Amino acid sequence: MKKNTINGVEPTSVPKHIGIIMDGNGRWAKKRLMPRSFGHRKGMERMIGLLEHAFDVGVDYVTVYALSTENLKRPQDELDGLYALIRKHFLENMKKVCARGARLKILGEISLLPPDIGALVKKAEEETSAYTGKGINVALGYGSRAEIVRAATEAMKRGETLTEESLSSLLDTGGQPDPDLIIRTGKEVRLSNFLLWQAAYAELYFSDKMFPEFSDADLDKAIEEFSRRTRRFGKTDEQCSTADGE
Ligand code: IPE
Ligand code: IPE
Ligand code: MG
């Protein structure tokens, strides 16, 4: 696969897994005197472009937050518009991006979505199930607290003692590396129930841009800032500068 480098960023400093909280579609549309659905449409297009660009620059996993459990309380006409968008464009676009060798995984509770959407995303997951090493997670009907409760319930059912590793493996992201970088667009500075467990040591990056206007160059800028951060994971600078970190 073609790999582009970002100016000033060593390929080894590119995050392996990026999470993106795609916020600001509604405000972006409102500013243009357009309906919120127009913002969601533009947001979906931007999401595809960003996924392609992320793989081009060497990212292996991208998790995009598309619809939260809390978003399910939005007015039904907005939800219907989002579902229509998924029906019309999701499968086709995802197939295109996943053809780069990425496995698609839906994070969240599919049963909270209309049944035909559930069937559609399951089909897309199956079609990409042979791919390994790269992945796209779409958080749909997703809430991190609900995900943790589901995982803990499963562990109890199995009669397992919980460890950090066993809980991690039972989450929807089980088997994947934790996100190194979480980006939120749309000016808000919060996680809104996104990957709370997995983000324990993620670097956070907040952009004032609304999601439809968050460009490939903006993603490069976030990765560049990430590459300049010092990740200590609780250790001292001195420990981090020795080869084995001990
Ligand atoms: C994020 O954009 C997309 C979804 C939550 C579906 P919003 O719809 O939250 O846009 P704003 O925050 O109202 O601008
Ligand atoms: C977070 O955005 C969820 C998604 C981007 C899917 P929200 O717009 O729902 O977040 P809050 O309500 O402002 O925290
Ligand atoms: Mg919002």
Side-chain angles (χ1 to χ4, degrees):
M1 191 198 304
K2 177 180 78 156
K3 245 195 200 179
N4 295 337
T5 48
I6 302 170
N7 261 348
V9 181
E10 289 293 323
T12 50
S13 302
V14 171
K16 295 225 165 334
H17 184 170
I18 297 183
I20 309 180
I21 303 173
M22 309 184 291
D23 194 22
N25 293 348
R27 280 165 286 159
W28 180 85
K30 190 173 176 191
K31 205 172 154 197
R32 284 157 185 79
L33 307 177
M34 296 296 281
R36 295 178 62 82
S37 57
F38 180 67
H40 291 316
R41 171 77 205 265
K42 288 289 167 191
M44 162 94 82
E45 286 168 13
R46 190 75 286 269
M47 175 185 86
I48 298 300
L50 279 176
L51 287 169
E52 289 177 331
H53 184 66
F55 289 132
D56 281 348
V57 298
V59 176
D60 292 332
Y61 290 88
V62 186
T63 300
V64 284
Y65 202 7
L67 190 71
S68 72
T69 43
E70 289 74 20
N71 291 151
L72 297 171
K73 294 179 206 132
R74 286 194 180 185
Q76 195 55 46
D77 66 333
E78 176 162 352
L79 291 176
D80 288 342
L82 282 165
Y83 298 144
L85 202 56
I86 294 173
R87 285 187 189 102
K88 202 159 182 250
H89 301 284
F90 180 81
L91 200 57
E92 177 194 322
N93 280 317
M94 275 300 157
K95 260 193 196 165
K96 205 176 89 191
V97 196
C98 288
R100 292 164 180 246
R103 181 172 184 168
L104 176 71
K105 174 115 185 62
I106 304 298
L107 312 183
E109 191 70 78
I110 291 180
S111 63
L112 298 175
L113 307 173
D116 70 304
I117 302 259
L120 192 134
V121 296
K122 274 251 155 302
K123 184 166 171 261
E125 280 185 333
E126 278 158 21
E127 282 175 7
T128 63
S129 61
Y131 294 131
T132 53
K134 281 191 187 299
I136 298 171
N137 298 323
V138 181
L140 208 54
Y142 174 86
S144 186
R145 287 182 169 183
E147 178 194 31
I148 293 168
V149 169
R150 260 186 283 123
T153 307
E154 179 59 28
M156 282 193 291
K157 249 198 259 165
R158 295 182 189 178
E160 283 175 12
T161 311
L162 274 187
T163 62
E164 292 190 11
E165 289 71 26
S166 71
L167 185 66
S168 289
S169 72
L170 289 169
L171 295 174
D172 297 350
T173 48
Q176 299 181 1
D178 281 341
D180 305 291
L181 169 64
I182 291 191
I183 297 170
R184 180 174 187 142
T185 62
K187 246 180 166 160
E188 310 300 350
V189 186
R190 54 178 172 255
L191 290 176
S192 302
N193 207 8
F194 183 58
L195 302 180
L196 302 180
W197 173 280
Q198 298 90 331
Y201 268 101
E203 295 297 322
L204 307 181
Y205 182 92
F206 297 97
S207 167
D208 284 351
K209 290 212 177 168
M210 299 298 128
F211 186 68
E213 61 194 1
F214 189 78
S215 65
D216 292 354
D218 290 322
L219 180 65
D220 289 352
K221 214 169 106 195
I223 293 175
E224 197 200 318
E225 177 166 331
F226 169 85
S227 74
R228 283 189 265 111
R229 303 248 183 113
T230 305
R231 303 181 81 191
R232 296 189 191 83
F233 299 98
K235 296 182 178 173
T236 64
D237 271 336
E238 289 69 26
Q239 285 175 300
C240 294
S241 57
T242 59
D244 59 5
E246 295 303 320

